[in-house]
Amino acid sequence: MTESVTVAIIGAGPAGLAAAARAAAVGLPHLLLEASPTIAATVAGYPRGKLVMTEPASLPLRSSLGFSAATREEVLESWGRELATIGAKVRTNARVLGVCRQNGSFLLTLAGGDQLVAEQVIVAIGRQGDLRRLELDGAGSPLVQYGVEDPSQHVGEMIVVVGAGDSAVETALSLAPHNRVLLLNRHEEFASCGEANLRRLGDALAAGALEVRRCSTATAITHDGCDPFPVALVVDSPNGVERIACNRVIVRIGSLPASTSLQRLGIKFPDLEGGALPRISDWFESSVPGLYIIGALAGYPLIKQALNQGYEVIEHIRGQPLPPADEDLLRNKLAPVEGIDSVAAGIDFLYQRQPLLKSLNLVQLRGLLRDSDIRRRDTGDVIFRRNDFSNSFFFILTGAVSIHVQYPDGKRAEFALGPGEFFGEIGLLSGRRRTGTAIAGANCVLMETPQRSMLKLLDSAPDVQRQLDEVALKRALASCFGTALADEQVIELVKGAEERDFATGEPLFHQGDTANGLYWIRRGSVTISHRINDKDVVAAYLAAGNYVGEMALISGQPRSATVRAAAPTETVLLQASHFHAMIDRNPGVRKDLTTRYFAGLQAISASKEGGNSALVEFLVARGGGEATDMLLIDYERCIRCDNCERACALVHEGVSLLDRRAGQTFGSIHVPASCRHCEHPKCMKDCPPDAIRRSPQGEIYISDTCIGCGNCREHCPYGVIQMGTPQPDRRPSLLDVLLGRKPAINGAAIGATTKAMKCDMCIGLLGGAACVRECPTGAARRIGPSEFHVLAGM
């Protein structure tokens, strides 16, 4: 049997349903084809009782179908009722086997032999056809699942949920009330999770309803048959290799678009990798005229966005195009760019002037623009300073920016960047301090994108990730070697470069190994140790942005040290042959590296004679490796006056956030109980009201929005966060000073709010941290890991 319609819609998810509903509402002949037995199969697959969110809140809804926050069951019942009322033509159990162009129309062949002729075809099949699966030993077990139909079927179990997106978070939250749930995220941030779900996750963590393990990657699944936990997930985590015993593992790590079948239709992709999305026009038309792509397959939209697309594509097909729902929002965003009088002109401007964005389809680019801010900067404005902790990413739209860097040997350099270029990639990729100072030039207009939005984009745009990594590596190499290598030399150096990731404690190489190349540390950190009297003694620490392994390459001798990951670490390995070719062509680089080589030999000699190797190892083991600002007290100088504690109390509403007596001591160096202001603060990650912040200068502080949940105290590995009620009028009295007494943190008074309190390094106070400033003997000082080598001078 052959039918004819104006529009054939493939896929009955939110986007396809909205298209069918709009077509029915305006009397456009149509047929919606769904391969499964039910409409909205993805939503129907949500756990029972799951709340369906209406994000993004700032985006207006356009749809002939109603949509508001409600349970899965309520949403499905409402859509079914409205579709029947409006007269939408829907056929389930109708799998489309093929689509081909025929005499200006499309011929669709269905399973069972039926055919359909359509003037236009809308593809709304989503991305759920090919679920991403764990490619691990043991992952084929029936105890490894890829969804949960009914959370109430699981009670009293230990369940590990793997993933970091909305589906993973929602699955974990739905199981948490009646089970012990651990959510495993291989990254630090939940970049692909919606704001509402992030808030719900934060609330659950604050209440202790579930656990989260970050920077942790599953490596294997074992089946020990141990009662009561039949399965164990082996994980590389910041604590090393762990085995998490559980009843089952639920994997929610997303899915890939059905690119193979779409390519057979002639649809073009900007990149042939599995995660790439098809190129579409302003009105969702693919490279095949008359064939439209909407919904998740067009670029990771939420339900509200998919509903809007279904409505808008029908309006376009019937010759009544509407501006997209985010048109006004984007027009306001683009206002600072001179000569841009429409969103279409702005989008074209970004495509033409920003090479990094050329591979994005329109949905992705509009989404990135919605998340970003565009601002004009005055000449001389400091965008960020060297050692700042901001991590936004910047596109230069017009004008210029100068980047001022200081090399390890103390030399300084300035690089000019112009329209079409970007900066801020090192902070984005590593999460570390800024490596240079960025200053605006004339006519400077920048697009600033938050780290979370960029990380989300990189997950869905392989070509952007590849370009970003390449530029970041080239710039890092120029910075590391203290000179600006010619572009062709840098390109030659990075040829054959390999990405290599290491779990905590895993060696990059061992002392005595043959040198295989130079490691650039993209993310994480490493310790450098030497074998002394049959024991590995830590001599140094290197953070992201540095390189390691040059000594063996310069000398031609075996590795002189063992280098291990101090945290989950991402590196790029530059092949030894390319490194030697580079230094052969650059005598200045060879000279600098040779100088560093001999300095390294002296450091090794000093460590073998005792030196401060054991002290560095002691400090790294007590959080120094991830610290940015660690308080140390030299007990050879300290006279135990406790001025440091009293000064802290004077600044912090009568409460000392420093406990000198607590902590541990190595030789004369004491590490008191005081905040380390970590590079990647664990206290900050799970704060429900987002009250813990980092200033651009690096101080970790707690804002007035703290609700006193105590979550930060539980997550701090150093026990330096206290709960109590500040007492502004309880300052140390003269008698307190004379008797050496210090005010204590009081319990909550009537009507007062208990809050978290910790060292904030006296943020905003002239002169810096009061504890250091008021030490009469200079015994107290704050340093970072890069300064551990100067401790001999304390």
Side-chain angles (χ1 to χ4, degrees), residues 48 80 112 141 169 183 191 205 209 240 278 363 391 396 416 429 437 519 526 544 608 615 649 694 704 716 730 745 765:
R48 291 182 183 174
S141 165
V169 171
L183 181 58
L205 289 169
V363 173
N391 51 20
I396 304 176
L429 297 173
T437 298
Y519 288 85
V526 301
K608 290 181 177 179
L615 174 58
R694 187 194 291 280
D704 292 338
C716 175
R730 182 64 178 100
I745 291 183
L765 189 68

Side-chain angles (χ1 to χ4, degrees), residues 646 730-743:
R646 282 190 287 273
R730 182 64 178 100
R731 305 295 176 110
S733 65
L734 178 60
L735 186 60
D736 287 332
V737 175
L738 293 176
L739 297 180
R741 298 188 308 214
K742 60 180 181 180

